[in-house]
Structure formats: C-alpha cells, structure tokens
Amino acid sequence: MQLPIHPTTTWKDKLFAALIFFTRLPFWRIYQPQKEAYAHVVELWPLTGWLTATLTAATMYGCAQIMPTTTAIILAFVMRLLLTGALHEDGLADFLDGFGAGRNDAQQTLRVMKDSHIGTYGVLGSSFMLPCSSPHWRNCPSPSPR
C-alpha cells in the first residue's frame, strides 16, 4: 500500500492542522496552516493524543501533590475535557445513541449518530463515563498517600 505524497503540504502545516483540529488550544493564533493540510490530520493523531495525555497526566500528578487523589482525578478529567473540547465524550454519546436508537437498521443508526442532539443512550453513557473510568485513574501511581 502506498500513501499519497502531497508536496504542497508541509509537515508544519500538517502538525498545526492536527493540533487545531483535535484540541481546543489556540494554535491558530500562532500559525494558519493551508486548508489542504486538514485532509491529513489523521497522520498526526497519535502526536496530538500524546500531547493531551501528557497535559492531563501532569494535571493529575501536580494536583495529587497538594490535594486528595479523587479531586486530582476530577480536575484531570476536566482538563481533558477542556483540551479536547469533549471530543471523546461526544463520540461516545453519538455511538450509544446511534446503536441504541438505530436498532437493526444501519441507515437509521447513521442518521441518529449524525444528529447533533443527544438522546437517552448518550446521556446515560456520558453520565457513567467518569464513574466507570475513575477506578482506572485511581490505580495510577500517586505521589501522595491521600
């Protein structure tokens, strides 16, 4: 399999396009990539994931130094929401709404997933996301005995 090479799109354009597309950080103030670069943002998906994960982990680690672990987990989760614009949570809600309301009809599932409104399945899934993921976050090494 060969990947297409786009000589007009620079690595810098792709990097800034990915950071602008996948985060809510104001990278667009620093640099405006070419529109063509946005077609290649998936190539740098892992890099933006590492950036947001590092900032989230640093938030949890720093907060756990001075406050209880549960509070640090909540603040780290809020940091992730602010960094990504709740991109993962929106995707989870769309997925659950689509497969919950779509039944066995693929077209109906896709229609519901594309709808911008959140449904019952999306609300339920979103409300269980933090309580279900916090035990995993709690197992991260904590610098303090809190």
Side-chain angles (χ1 to χ4, degrees):
M1 180 172 130
Q2 285 186 327
L3 295 175
I5 298 173
H6 302 278
T8 59
T9 307
T10 66
W11 194 82
K12 182 180 178 181
D13 283 335
K14 291 178 187 180
L15 174 63
F16 275 93
L19 291 171
I20 292 167
F21 188 79
F22 290 119
T23 71
R24 294 296 175 245
L25 300 174
F27 286 108
W28 49 269
R29 290 183 180 179
I30 300 169
Y31 182 74
Q32 290 287 324
Q34 298 175 8
K35 287 186 179 182
E36 296 81 28
Y38 287 95
H40 311 288
V41 294
V42 174
E43 297 170 13
L44 295 172
W45 211 336
L47 183 63
T48 56
W50 276 99
L51 172 71
T52 57
T54 300
L55 292 172
T56 301
T59 300
M60 183 171 164
Y61 183 80
C63 290
Q65 298 286 329
I66 57 174
M67 55 187 64
T69 305
T70 303
T71 306
I73 289 170
I74 292 169
L75 290 175
F77 191 78
V78 168
M79 173 60 85
R80 191 183 85 175
L81 293 176
L82 293 173
L83 286 172
T84 64
L87 189 64
H88 296 90
E89 292 71 23
D90 182 52
L92 174 68
D94 288 343
F95 171 81
L96 293 173
D97 279 340
F99 283 93
R103 312 258 187 257
N104 294 328
D105 182 11
Q107 293 303 317
Q108 175 65 13
T109 299
L110 290 173
R111 228 180 345 270
V112 171
M113 289 174 80
K114 290 179 183 178
D115 185 5
S116 62
H117 297 93
I118 189 167
T120 305
Y121 294 102
V123 169
L124 289 172
S126 296
S127 63
F128 285 113
M129 186 173 183
L130 179 60
C132 290
S133 65
S134 66
H136 302 291
W137 289 44
R138 189 171 275 293
N139 287 334
C140 293
S142 178
S144 65
R146 298 175 200 240

